Every structure is written in structure tokens, then in C-alpha cells.
Amino acid sequence: MLSTEKITRAFTAILEEAEKLGETQISDEIKDGLALIISIAKHQNDIRGAAKGSCKGSHSA
């Protein structure tokens, strides 16, 4: 099993790579998917079923 530190670093890497992709020319559908991936990585939790606006916090990239 992975340590918490390794999992945190993995989510950070996913976040960084998704943000890089978001800066390229991609379709709106892909941008929406990347935004969801970025939110999941920032929260380190599956927030897909959460109510809009319920995941506010002081998360830094």
C-alpha cells in the first residue's frame, strides 16, 4: 500500500499535468473534463457527486 506522502505527491503530479494540458488549445469538452480532474486532484477525493460550490476551501496548486 502507498504511503500518504506518495499518494499526495501523485495527486500533485496529476494536478500539475492537467493544468499544463488546460493551457493548450483543446475543445471545451476536454477543458470541462480537465477542470473535473483538477478539482478531484485538489480535493484528493471523488467530488463528482458533490453539490456545485460545496467544495470551497483554501487549496493551493
Side-chain angles (χ1 to χ4, degrees):
M1 183 179 243
L2 293 175
S3 71
T4 302
E5 184 178 326
K6 286 182 180 179
I7 292 170
T8 299
R9 283 194 279 186
F11 274 108
T12 300
I14 291 167
L15 175 61
E16 289 169 358
E17 294 304 317
E19 287 175 335
K20 282 184 209 174
L21 287 172
E23 295 171 2
T24 63
Q25 287 190 332
I26 53 177
S27 71
D28 287 340
E29 184 179 7
I30 301 277
K31 284 183 184 181
D32 290 345
L34 283 174
L36 180 58
I37 291 168
I38 289 167
S39 281
I40 291 169
K42 282 183 178 180
H43 291 89
Q44 296 184 15
N45 198 356
D46 185 354
I47 52 109
R48 291 176 287 180
K52 187 171 182 155
S54 67
C55 297
K56 294 181 180 169
S58 59
H59 299 286
S60 61

